[in-house]
Amino acid sequence: MQLTEGNISWSSSSEDVDQKIDDIQKLGLSQEKMKVTANEKVSLDFQENVRNGGDIWTDQKITVALLKNEQRIELELHENREFQIPNNKGSYVLEVVFTSSRGTAQYVGNILIQ
């Protein structure tokens, strides 16, 4: 499933994007629910915006976390952009942050761990 853009601060040859979301958890929970099982392996697939040009994979850093109220669970992202869903059942906001020399892009989704 595709995640929704959250906070963005990005600069490219074609445009600059600066988007600020006040309540990222509210945005995440408003998305269609993605159902996953505890301990399931999940892969991230990024698609480059061709219109922005440039190589987004230069010096990139990707972080993944689950958010619930004031709780933040950082998840380990493996080299193949795969991470494992923890055993903590319930509804969470999945947060993926992509950082490169061009800036930072945050993506969120509504995830239900069963």
Side-chain angles (χ1 to χ4, degrees):
M1 294 189 78
Q2 186 170 345
L3 300 176
T4 300
E5 289 182 348
N7 293 305
I8 308 284
S9 179
W10 198 265
S11 179
S12 71
S13 58
S14 64
E15 67 180 323
D16 291 340
V17 179
D18 194 20
Q19 174 176 298
K20 176 72 175 138
I21 306 296
D22 291 328
D23 190 341
I24 203 67
Q25 289 193 45
K26 183 177 179 182
L27 174 65
L29 292 173
S30 72
Q31 306 307 306
E32 183 180 340
K33 197 166 286 197
M34 296 178 273
K35 295 178 182 177
V36 296
T37 57
N39 292 317
E40 183 176 341
K41 289 185 179 179
V42 177
S43 296
L44 295 176
D45 180 27
F46 286 93
Q47 295 180 357
E48 190 170 353
N49 185 340
V50 176
R51 158 186 88 142
N52 285 341
D55 183 7
I56 65 170
W57 303 110
T58 303
D59 298 325
Q60 95 283 3
K61 178 183 177 190
I62 303 169
T63 60
V64 180
L66 294 178
L67 312 175
K68 185 172 189 173
N69 302 320
E70 299 299 315
Q71 181 183 17
R72 178 181 189 84
I73 303 169
E74 299 285 338
L75 303 178
E76 182 181 356
L77 186 64
H78 303 283
E79 285 184 28
N80 58 357
R81 293 193 294 277
E82 185 176 85
F83 62 94
Q84 189 163 349
I85 299 295
N87 288 326
N88 312 28
K89 294 183 180 182
S91 292
Y92 295 87
V93 172
L94 174 65
E95 174 196 60
V96 176
V97 178
F98 185 97
T99 305
S100 82
S101 58
R102 303 253 180 190
T104 301
Q106 176 190 48
Y107 301 92
V108 294
N110 185 358
I111 190 165
L112 174 64
I113 301 175
Q114 302 176 334

